[in-house]
Amino acid sequence: VDELSVAVVGAAGLLGREVLDVLDSRQFPTGHLRLLGTHRTAGGEIQRDGRTDKIALLGPSAFDDVDVAFFSAGPGVSGEYGPLAARAGATVIDLTSRFRLDEVVPLIVPQVNVAALAERRERNIVATPSAVATALAVVLAPLSIAAGLRRVVVSTYQGVAGAGRRALVGLSQETVDLLGSRGTRRTRFARPIAFNCVPQVGAVEPGGATTHELRVVEEVRKVLGEPSLALTVTAVRVPIFFGVGIGVTLETEQPLDVEEAAQVLRTAPGMVVHHGETDAYPTPADAVGTEAVHVGRLRPDVAAEHGLALWIALDGVRTVALDAVAIAEFLAREQL
Amino acid sequence: VDELSVAVVGAAGLLGREVLDVLDSRQFPTGHLRLLGTHRTAGGEIQRDGRTDKIALLGPSAFDDVDVAFFSAGPGVSGEYGPLAARAGATVIDLTSRFRLDEVVPLIVPQVNVAALAERRERNIVATPSAVATALAVVLAPLSIAAGLRRVVVSTYQGVAGAGRRALVGLSQETVDLLGSRGTRRTRFARPIAFNCVPQVGAVEPGGATTHELRVVEEVRKVLGEPSLALTVTAVRVPIFFGVGIGVTLETEQPLDVEEAAQVLRTAPGMVVHHGETDAYPTPADAVGTEAVHVGRLRPDVAAEHGLALWIALDGVRTVALDAVAIAEFLAREQL
């Protein structure tokens, strides 16, 4: 495989930095590396492995001679510079929400629908789903193939890392203030998050669901290729830094008992199944720093016909960065 | 109403202390007050309102001349001394899990099934459900009456207060240790709880559900008088001190739109409905110190026929103590 010229837009952010780490740890054939940012971060430096790279300012010629451009600086930046990068000849891998539900942009979870990468030709932009949608797609895809999905109900327990680096500082500050009896100051969330749960991720839409909840549903449907999948999501921010937990209750079309489901999940890619011992289940803290989607508490839901319940834990930031780089690896192997 | 002689078993615990506070704040006609505890707490003192009361040791004659005995010292103590107190002539109000699913003991949520108090005659023991089951019963009962319940899926976000006073210290200590880089020490939970979520409340049973999950289902069925209600619970401990959040996705038998559901809930007792403005929803921290079961994020679940989703927040310890005292008030009015 030849070396590729790589750009990372949003390199100073939590997700951009994770993409850099994954490129290194997976020994991606990075030739020239260009770190890019907006006025807020351009000029800053990123240190890793003894190297120091400077963040350059996004601009019209920022993507000249770039083969692959990762975008993780927010949907606004992706919307403005993504098409520009693609026109300049780069394959854009967008980690933001900007193009996920765009009909002519493929939404890829490598373990599930990598074949859809071929659909990128029109725009040369590929999108990755949110961490929650990614984990759900990884777990639901093999269950759907094995037994069909009649109904899925999801509740999330999302750490603040999904909201970016400043959210980490926010939770830390709020926690210290509360423990130190300094009272609650301003919060970066819809409500104070320290020692609290906030059932709002994204904006509340007129119908009562949040943008995030609605998007997770549509993202999972798009990745699975099941546009009418009966999926309901309640998304809740919890006071943890990294890691995401997801409670899933589902009904399959065909009977699938717990041991069969465990076997189906074990043989599917991208998962670690914790099953067999009664207390074998993953927590978000256990999942942090790992590369897999962890599944546990697999059990029958006797209240429904063909009912199953399970629990998912993952490192959301790591998972999204890893999948983005995995997409680039596929593209590299087929020489873009 | 004549004054009543009251005993509180487990007065040193979080829940027992809350019962004392509620007796005071609601000006319960407490005549003689006897605080009782096991060897671990007997001899200790409880201070409130400038008064100091000593905790006496539980024993064979501890309930002589007691009219109402609240039990909150754990199921073991209730099992040993509850029947003894009842035989000595006291009406036992048990806040533990010991008698909740006992067929000859009524399980009471005052706002829902206070009429079932008459069934206590046989044993003279009345039980109250767990905080989660109480909140679900308060919310589901009027919806069931209005439109019937076809299916209910629940995920909980439970603060550590439900596990008692030492669990509060445990979360505090774990949090400080982690923030202070002292690493994770031993935890009081199945997994470290600081900045984590633990999908295990109670013991994991052979089928994969936990004791708490199974009990919540049976407690709600018993209070609603719907022994085959299709209810699925995933119970998760979250790193908050007080307060409980509950995500509920449900299907009704008859159509019931969101505005109708809001109206049904508003006119039912014991609830505060947050509805109308897009960000009108309660968090566990908002609910702490309040006496109501708070409902918000009421929205249609378009993925199911007659589907609704909603979010509940409450102060679990306060709610359970309050309901126990409310039961005593009913009994006092009918002179036991």
Side-chain angles (χ1 to χ4, degrees):
Chain A
V1 175
D2 293 339
E3 290 196 334
L4 296 177
S5 173
V6 173
V8 177
V9 181
L14 207 58
L15 198 47
R17 182 58 201 252
E18 196 80 11
V19 168
L20 290 174
D21 284 350
V22 173
L23 287 170
D24 285 349
S25 69
R26 292 182 64 111
Q27 299 184 290
F28 187 82
T30 308
H32 184 69
L33 176 66
R34 193 174 297 174
L35 307 188
L36 294 164
T38 60
H39 281 286
R40 201 169 57 75
T41 59
E45 291 176 342
I46 300 281
Q47 298 193 346
R48 57 200 180 91
D49 274 347
R51 273 175 60 182
T52 301
D53 293 301
K54 205 150 188 166
I55 301 177
L57 185 64
L58 274 166
S61 59
F63 298 95
D64 293 351
D65 304 317
V66 168
D67 296 311
V68 184
F70 296 94
F71 275 77
S72 63
V77 172
S78 291
E80 188 173 354
Y81 290 98
L84 192 147
R87 279 197 299 275
T91 298
V92 170
I93 300 175
D94 186 24
L95 289 73
T96 78
S97 62
R98 177 61 183 83
F99 295 105
R100 284 175 188 157
L101 302 179
D102 192 317
E103 279 183 19
V104 295
V105 170
L107 184 66
I108 303 293
V109 174
Q111 304 93 315
V112 178
N113 67 337
V114 74
L117 270 177
E119 295 163 23
R120 79 180 186 281
R121 301 287 174 205
E122 194 174 335
R123 297 272 292 272
N124 214 21
I125 299 176
V126 178
T128 61
S130 64
V132 168
T134 298
L136 288 173
V138 166
V139 174
L140 294 178
L143 295 175
S144 178
I145 290 166
L149 297 172
R150 183 183 294 163
R151 175 106 173 85
V152 184
V153 178
V154 165
S155 289
T156 74
Y157 302 71
Q158 298 180 234
V160 300
R165 193 184 298 282
R166 280 176 292 183
L168 293 174
V169 177
L171 171 58
S172 193
Q173 191 63 50
E174 279 191 47
T175 305
V176 169
D177 283 350
L178 273 179
L179 285 175
S181 302
R182 298 174 71 188
T184 313
R185 300 175 173 208
R186 282 194 302 179
T187 177
R188 292 183 179 280
F189 296 90
R191 296 281 195 287
I193 185 69
F195 305 113
N196 198 13
C197 294
V198 182
Q200 182 187 341
V201 182
V204 179
E205 296 292 314
T210 66
T211 46
H212 181 69
E213 289 163 349
L214 295 170
R215 279 193 194 131
V216 167
V217 171
E218 294 305 327
E219 290 172 23
V220 172
R221 287 173 170 170
K222 184 171 175 179
V223 173
L224 298 190
E226 299 188 39
S228 57
L229 177 68
L231 170 61
T232 307
V233 176
T234 299
V236 179
R237 195 73 78 182
V238 294
I240 70 181
F241 290 101
F242 290 92
V244 176
I246 309 175
V248 181
T249 304
L250 63 90
E251 296 164 45
T252 53
E253 294 284 355
Q254 305 301 320
L256 186 76
D257 72 26
V258 163
E259 297 310 321
E260 289 167 338
Q263 194 52 31
V264 164
L265 294 174
R266 276 197 199 100
T267 52
M271 256 175 296
V272 173
V273 180
H274 305 245
H275 187 63
E277 292 171 56
T278 52
D279 66 344
Y281 58 81
T283 68
D286 297 324
V288 169
T290 74
E291 303 199 337
V293 173
H294 296 263
V295 178
R297 295 217 59 208
L298 194 57
R299 58 200 195 276
D301 174 14
V302 294
E305 194 192 17
H306 307 162
L308 286 173
L310 56 89
W311 167 261
I312 300 171
L314 70 151
D315 183 333
V317 173
R318 188 83 184 169
T319 298
V320 169
L322 200 68
D323 283 357
V325 173
I327 290 168
E329 288 172 347
F330 273 106
L331 296 172
R333 274 200 290 276
E334 54 174 65
Q335 290 300 307
L336 304 176
Chain B
V1 176
D2 294 339
E3 289 195 335
L4 296 177
S5 173
V6 173
V8 177
V9 180
L14 206 58
L15 198 48
R17 183 58 201 254
E18 196 81 11
V19 168
L20 290 174
D21 284 351
V22 173
L23 287 170
D24 286 350
S25 69
R26 292 182 65 110
Q27 300 184 292
F28 187 81
T30 308
H32 184 70
L33 176 66
R34 192 175 299 174
L35 307 188
L36 294 163
T38 61
H39 280 285
R40 201 170 56 77
T41 59
E45 292 176 340
I46 300 281
Q47 299 193 344
R48 56 201 180 92
D49 275 347
R51 272 176 61 182
T52 300
D53 292 301
K54 206 151 187 166
I55 301 177
L57 185 64
L58 274 165
S61 59
F63 298 96
D64 293 352
D65 304 318
V66 167
D67 295 312
V68 184
F70 296 94
F71 275 78
S72 63
V77 172
S78 291
E80 188 172 354
Y81 290 97
L84 190 149
R87 279 196 299 275
T91 298
V92 170
I93 299 175
D94 187 24
L95 289 73
T96 78
S97 62
R98 178 61 185 82
F99 294 105
R100 285 175 188 158
L101 301 179
D102 191 318
E103 280 183 18
V104 296
V105 170
L107 183 66
I108 303 293
V109 175
Q111 305 92 315
V112 177
N113 67 336
V114 73
L117 270 178
E119 296 163 20
R120 80 182 185 282
R121 300 289 176 203
E122 195 175 336
R123 296 271 293 272
N124 213 22
I125 299 176
V126 178
T128 60
S130 64
V132 168
T134 298
L136 288 172
V138 165
V139 174
L140 294 178
L143 295 175
S144 178
I145 291 165
L149 297 173
R150 184 182 294 165
R151 175 106 174 85
V152 184
V153 178
V154 165
S155 289
T156 75
Y157 301 72
Q158 299 179 234
V160 300
R165 192 184 298 282
R166 280 176 292 182
L168 293 173
V169 177
L171 171 58
S172 193
Q173 190 63 49
E174 278 191 46
T175 305
V176 169
D177 283 350
L178 272 179
L179 285 175
S181 302
R182 297 175 72 189
T184 313
R185 300 174 173 211
R186 281 195 302 180
T187 177
R188 293 184 177 279
F189 296 89
R191 296 281 196 288
I193 185 69
F195 305 113
N196 198 15
C197 294
V198 182
Q200 182 187 343
V201 182
V204 179
E205 296 291 316
T210 65
T211 47
H212 180 69
E213 288 164 349
L214 295 170
R215 279 193 193 128
V216 167
V217 170
E218 294 306 327
E219 291 173 21
V220 172
R221 286 173 170 171
K222 183 172 175 179
V223 173
L224 298 190
E226 299 188 38
S228 57
L229 177 68
L231 169 61
T232 308
V233 175
T234 299
V236 180
R237 195 73 78 182
V238 294
I240 70 181
F241 290 101
F242 290 91
V244 176
I246 309 175
V248 181
T249 304
L250 63 90
E251 296 163 45
T252 54
E253 294 283 355
Q254 306 300 320
L256 185 77
D257 72 25
V258 163
E259 296 311 321
E260 289 167 338
Q263 193 53 29
V264 164
L265 294 174
R266 275 197 199 98
T267 52
M271 255 174 298
V272 173
V273 180
H274 304 246
H275 187 64
E277 291 171 57
T278 52
D279 67 344
Y281 58 81
T283 68
D286 297 325
V288 169
T290 74
E291 303 199 337
V293 172
H294 297 263
V295 178
R297 295 218 57 208
L298 195 56
R299 58 198 195 278
D301 174 15
V302 294
E305 193 192 18
H306 308 161
L308 285 173
L310 56 88
W311 168 259
I312 300 171
L314 70 152
D315 184 333
V317 173
R318 188 83 183 170
T319 298
V320 169
L322 200 68
D323 283 357
V325 173
I327 289 168
E329 289 172 347
F330 274 106
L331 296 172
R333 277 200 291 275
E334 53 175 67
Q335 290 300 304
L336 304 178

